Amino acid sequence: MRGPLQGPGEKEDQEEGAAAASGRPAGGPGAKKGSDTDSDSDQETEGARRPGELGEDTLYLRSCRAHSVVPASCFLRQGSAPELSLRHRGLGPQGAWALAHALTSNPYVKRLDLRDNGLCGAGAEALAGALSKTRSICDVDLSENRLGAEGARAICAALVVSPAVQRVQLAGNGLEEQAAQYLAELLLAHTGLKSLDLSYNQLNDQAGETLGPALAENTGLTELNVRWNHLRGPGAIAFARGLEANIFLRVLDISYNGCGDSGASAVGEALKTNNVLEELYMRCPGIPCEVKAALVCSSLSRLIHSLHWSFWTFLISR
């Protein structure tokens, strides 16, 4: 049988009585035990983080506030992961400045992917400072950031003093003949650079005449991509002469540059001397059949087992 209903204060009185019987005042310190436990747990979680991680996050957040940018959440969750991918985030120059400050004290990131962030020249200058100081980053993708000559100058200068960086992607950055001078200096000075992607830029004949001699003197690069540029005529010939003298390059892509008869013939002549190149990609519509035949004959004895199959398929199908 149900007892009488309790009045508004009777339940509280019973609770206070039970608390008194146990020797613990109701609402006393024991009532806060849960919140204290949560606080201790938070502190333990922070203490469990790797040394420097909390400091890096704090540095990054402080830098974001200073530059009035929204922090990238994935960087806050980065921890000790070796790859940091922030492509298509719209960081802009200000975001690059904020990120650069944190990268200088991050020893974990080995691959940095900032493709398509509108960094422009100013953002490149910000990242150049971080790249010149880091000893951990070895792979950098700055493609599609509208770097221009100003950005190329800053990045190349930083890479020259960054021996750890071995792979660089600068595709689609509007690089022209002025930027070629900085790229040539990079090829001459950075012997540890193994892979360079300069595709989808506006490197013209003047750029080819600048890059050719640098390629001839380079002593480390094994992979170079210059597809979809404007290396035509004299530029293609100068570039081919650089290939002829180079003894380190293993993979070269010069497709869709409009090399023409003279450029293709120069590449064929280069292959007679160069016995190191293993893969050549040279899709160039419009090259006459007789030039293609000469190109094949000049390299057939050495490259028949090493040229990429797509190259032979293209030649046969044209």
Side-chain angles (χ1 to χ4, degrees):
M1 183 175 180
R2 297 181 60 186
L5 295 175
Q6 296 178 340
E10 290 180 356
K11 186 176 181 180
E12 287 80 356
D13 292 340
Q14 290 179 0
E15 291 177 351
E16 290 177 1
S22 65
R24 174 179 55 81
K32 297 181 180 179
K33 184 176 181 180
S35 60
D36 290 345
T37 301
D38 292 342
S39 178
D40 292 343
S41 177
D42 292 343
Q43 292 177 1
E44 291 174 0
T45 300
E46 292 179 355
R49 304 177 73 169
R50 290 179 179 271
E53 286 184 16
L54 183 59
E56 290 162 12
D57 292 353
T58 303
L59 175 62
Y60 177 56
L61 291 173
R62 188 165 60 245
S63 185
C64 286
R65 286 194 294 269
H67 292 89
S68 302
V69 296
V70 178
S73 59
C74 57
F75 182 76
L76 297 175
R77 299 190 300 267
Q78 178 69 14
S80 58
E83 180 175 353
L84 176 59
S85 179
L86 294 174
R87 57 169 57 190
H88 315 307
R89 297 276 176 158
L91 296 178
Q94 292 297 96
W97 280 106
L99 180 63
H101 286 299
L103 285 175
T104 55
S105 60
N106 187 310
Y108 306 111
V109 175
K110 297 185 180 300
R111 184 175 192 277
L112 179 62
D113 186 350
L114 298 178
R115 178 184 289 260
D116 185 26
N117 272 286
L119 300 180
C120 302
E125 289 187 3
L127 290 171
L131 290 175
S132 64
K133 297 175 182 177
T134 183
R135 293 298 177 265
S136 61
I137 298 176
C138 58
D139 187 338
V140 183
D141 188 349
L142 297 176
S143 302
E144 302 172 21
N145 273 292
R146 304 195 301 274
L147 298 184
E150 179 185 357
R153 177 191 58 77
I155 294 299
C156 289
L159 293 176
V160 165
V161 296
S162 303
V165 181
Q166 298 182 2
R167 177 181 173 86
V168 178
Q169 294 174 260
L170 297 174
N173 275 300
L175 305 183
E176 301 177 340
E177 63 269 18
Q178 186 177 353
Q181 182 59 48
Y182 309 124
L183 294 169
E185 294 172 0
L186 175 64
L187 290 176
L188 291 172
H190 195 331
T191 57
L193 186 63
K194 302 301 181 185
S195 176
L196 180 60
D197 185 354
L198 300 174
S199 60
Y200 296 94
N201 281 293
Q202 285 84 51
L203 299 172
N204 55 18
D205 280 343
Q206 289 76 16
E209 292 173 348
T210 300
L211 292 173
L215 180 61
E217 298 295 328
N218 178 264
T219 57
L221 198 68
T222 60
E223 183 175 350
L224 177 60
N225 186 349
V226 291
R227 67 185 290 136
W228 285 107
N229 276 277
H230 306 307
L231 301 176
R232 307 185 178 102
I237 294 174
F239 196 85
R241 288 173 179 166
L243 172 63
E244 180 178 357
N246 185 280
I247 58 174
F248 288 89
L249 201 63
R250 298 292 187 273
V251 181
L252 174 63
D253 190 342
I254 53 176
S255 301
Y256 303 109
N257 269 281
C259 293
D261 298 4
S262 58
S265 298
V267 172
E269 289 298 315
L271 293 178
K272 292 179 180 179
T273 303
N274 184 307
N275 59 359
V276 178
L277 192 69
E278 297 175 356
E279 296 182 33
L280 172 63
Y281 299 83
M282 191 178 171
R283 293 179 178 271
C284 298
I287 299 177
C289 293
E290 59 269 21
V291 176
K292 294 178 185 177
L295 182 61
V296 172
C297 291
S298 68
S299 57
L300 186 59
S301 60
R302 181 181 59 84
L303 294 177
I304 191 168
H305 296 298
S306 59
L307 274 177
H308 195 272
W309 181 249
S310 65
F311 177 69
W312 297 113
T313 303
F314 169 74
L315 289 176
I316 295 172
S317 63
R318 293 292 292 174

